[in-house]
Amino acid sequence: LVKLMTVTDVVRAYDGPSGMAEWAGIGASAVCNWIDRGFIPPGWHWRLDRDAREKGYEIDQGVFDERLRRKSKRSQRSGSSGHSERVA
């Protein structure tokens, strides 16, 4: 399985915000909000994790759990550029 470490990685695996939005049945702006926040809301976790595994991906749990994401960010602050993870 290919490990997806960030929301951006997940969205790219689904062909960008419009592809992810189409899969989820939501607007691309909602997906962009996921990217800006750095985590995917809880209502999507099980379904997305299952679908991603079927496609050959493993999603890091920090993508789903804001508390894990914050811990990870704290440990990376010294090397952080401060830019958001927006996908073009």
Side-chain angles (χ1 to χ4, degrees), residues 30-50:
V31 174
C32 290
N33 287 336
W34 297 357
I35 294 167
D36 289 343
R37 291 180 187 127
F39 71 99
I40 295 171
W44 296 103
H45 296 183
W46 182 81
R47 185 174 146 196
L48 182 56
D49 189 58
R50 188 182 80 192

Side-chain angles (χ1 to χ4, degrees), residues 8-70:
T8 298
D9 293 341
V10 174
V11 172
R12 284 184 181 145
Y14 282 78
D15 298 323
S18 60
M20 180 96 253
E22 184 177 328
W23 173 84
I26 60 177
S29 62
V31 174
C32 290
N33 287 336
W34 297 357
I35 294 167
D36 289 343
R37 291 180 187 127
F39 71 99
I40 295 171
W44 296 103
H45 296 183
W46 182 81
R47 185 174 146 196
L48 182 56
D49 189 58
R50 188 182 80 192
D51 188 69
R53 285 183 182 276
E54 288 174 5
K55 293 177 186 226
Y57 299 110
E58 179 182 359
I59 300 174
D60 183 81
Q61 291 305 299
V63 171
F64 294 134
D65 189 330
E66 184 178 11
R67 294 168 298 177
L68 294 174
R69 180 182 60 83
R70 285 184 179 158

